[in-house]
């Protein structure tokens, strides 16, 4: 998912119809678009409070769950508005399942109801920050403070400057942060086998759909290949480890060609 760009539901009506009356241009706080923003804003705020509570050595699980509720609501609104499953007679389940937003929604729901793992919030937090900034820049400021053009310019510069770097960082966190934490948690009984399987499938889909994830995994795979495959494998590495790595690599099939990502296009 190209956070800050593809997943943001943009209302094109005003820009395409400059002749609309003022009352028709007024920002609608009851719209799905605003509900989408509220979900991401809730995620950002609750993630912040959760981090603060951790710094004081008393993590408050309420903020963790509330952050995921906001995330689930936002992704749910995007998918609902895009596919309208109860009113669309030609509802395409396969397309919905391959949508990047669906993949993130499934993972968010899973972590909402499973054991609390703080690092899983980081990718969602980064996405939500960009979504909130974009909404403030394109909706709140033009409607509530149209004279604040300098602020708009500053926000736009921040998004342009840091978007790609942040998405690359998210890919690294999803692989080396979240996945590593889930695997290590198996050995200390702080994560389940199911969580590892669910997230492995998620990363497999991210490899196909996200250029950032694919680039990082290919880079990581090249380094791992040098260390665990002959003739460059270290002589002290047991053959069983080398064979296990070869089997795992074959099962994951990371050498397959990427498939086009489906990302919901929406106008809320």
């Amino acid at each position: 998912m190209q956070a800050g760009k593809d997943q943001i539901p943009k209302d094109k009506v005003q820009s395409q119809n400059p002749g609309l009356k003022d009352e028709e241009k007024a920002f609608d706080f009851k719209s799905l678009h605003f509900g989408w923003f509220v979900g991401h804003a809730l995620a950002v705020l609750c993630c912040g409070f959760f981090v603060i509570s951790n710094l004081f050595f008393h993590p408050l699980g309420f903020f963790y769950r509330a952050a995921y509720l906001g995330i689930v609501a936002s992704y749910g609104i995007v998918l609902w508005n895009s596919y309208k499953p109860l009113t669309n007679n030609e509802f395409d389940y396969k397309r919905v399942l391959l949508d990047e937003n669906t993949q993130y929604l499934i993972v968010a729901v899973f972590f909402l109801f499973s054991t609390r793992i703080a690092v899983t919030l980081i990718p969602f937090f980064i996405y939500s920050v960009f979504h909130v900034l974009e909404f403030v820049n394109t909706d709140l400021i033009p409607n509530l403070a149209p004279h604040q053009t300098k602020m708009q310019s500053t926000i736009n510069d921040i998004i342009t400057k840091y978007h790609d770097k942040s998405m690359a960082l998210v890919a690294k966190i999803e692989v080396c942060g979240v996945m590593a934490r889930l695997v290590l948690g198996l050995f200390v009984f702080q994560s389940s086998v199911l969580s590892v399987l669910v997230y492995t499938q998620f990363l497999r889909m991210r490899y196909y759909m996200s250029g950032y994830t694919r680039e990082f995994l290919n880079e990581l795979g090249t380094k791992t290949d040098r260390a665990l495959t002959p003739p460059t494998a270290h002589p002290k590495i047991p053959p069983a480890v080398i064979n296990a790595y070869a089997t795992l690599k074959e099962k994951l099939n990371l050498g397959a060609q990427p498939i086009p990502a489906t990302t919901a296009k929406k106008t809320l």
Side-chain angles (χ1 to χ4, degrees):
M1 178 185 68
Q2 305 296 314
K5 292 183 179 179
D6 291 344
Q7 203 260 354
I8 294 178
K10 295 180 179 179
D11 189 349
K12 302 296 185 182
V13 175
Q14 294 182 19
S15 61
Q16 294 176 354
N17 297 277
L20 290 178
K21 296 180 181 180
D22 290 340
E23 59 268 25
E24 293 176 318
K25 291 184 180 181
F27 182 70
D28 185 4
F29 288 95
K30 297 180 181 180
S31 66
L32 287 175
H33 188 26
F34 185 70
W36 169 88
F37 161 72
V38 170
H40 282 300
L42 178 65
V44 172
L45 289 175
C46 289
C47 282
F49 288 132
F50 182 66
V51 170
I52 293 173
S53 69
N54 273 272
L55 292 177
F56 287 96
F57 305 102
H58 187 64
L60 299 176
F62 168 79
F63 290 115
Y64 177 90
R65 306 296 175 187
Y68 266 119
L69 283 175
I71 292 164
V72 168
S74 292
Y75 282 90
I77 286 173
V78 167
L79 291 169
W80 171 267
N81 186 74
S82 300
Y83 299 105
K84 296 179 174 58
L86 299 183
T87 59
N88 188 356
N89 294 328
E90 299 179 357
F91 184 65
D92 189 343
Y93 290 95
K94 184 176 180 180
R95 184 184 176 194
V96 174
L97 289 175
L98 290 176
D99 192 301
E100 292 180 293
N101 296 298
T102 301
Q103 300 297 319
Y104 275 100
L105 177 62
I106 291 172
V107 170
V109 171
F110 180 82
F111 285 126
L112 171 63
F113 293 105
S114 60
T115 304
R116 190 174 69 225
I117 302 176
V119 71
T120 63
L121 275 175
I122 298 177
F124 290 106
F125 171 77
I126 294 174
Y127 285 141
S128 292
V129 167
F130 279 96
H131 294 324
V132 168
L133 287 175
E134 184 72 17
F135 184 89
V136 169
N137 197 42
T138 60
D139 290 87
L140 287 188
I141 293 178
N143 284 279
L144 303 181
H147 59 284
Q148 293 290 346
T149 55
K150 185 177 181 180
M151 183 182 296
Q152 281 185 287
S153 178
T154 300
I155 293 175
N156 188 64
D157 289 343
I158 292 174
I159 294 174
T160 302
K161 182 177 180 180
Y162 293 105
H163 179 269
D164 287 345
K165 294 179 181 178
S166 298
M167 297 306 101
L169 176 61
V170 166
K172 295 177 181 179
I173 293 173
E174 288 177 341
V175 177
C176 297
V178 179
M179 191 64 191
R181 166 62 180 81
L182 293 175
V183 172
L184 292 175
L186 288 175
F187 299 98
V188 292
F189 305 104
Q190 292 185 354
S191 60
S192 65
V193 174
L194 179 61
S195 66
V196 174
L197 294 177
V198 169
Y199 210 75
T200 297
Q201 176 61 22
F202 169 75
L203 287 182
R204 189 169 184 271
M205 296 300 294
R206 294 306 298 152
Y207 178 85
Y208 292 137
M209 295 179 171
S210 169
Y212 299 104
T213 302
R214 187 161 54 252
E215 181 180 355
F216 177 67
L217 283 175
N218 286 339
E219 178 185 344
L220 185 63
T222 299
K223 294 179 180 179
T224 307
D225 282 344
R226 288 199 201 101
L228 294 179
T229 58
T232 57
H234 196 282
K236 292 186 179 180
I237 295 179
V241 174
I242 294 176
N243 293 334
Y245 172 72
T247 302
L248 178 63
K249 184 179 178 182
E250 182 180 355
K251 293 293 185 182
L252 292 178
N253 194 26
L254 293 182
Q257 292 296 319
I259 58 177
T262 301
T263 303
K265 303 299 181 182
K266 46 269 155 194
T267 52
L268 294 181

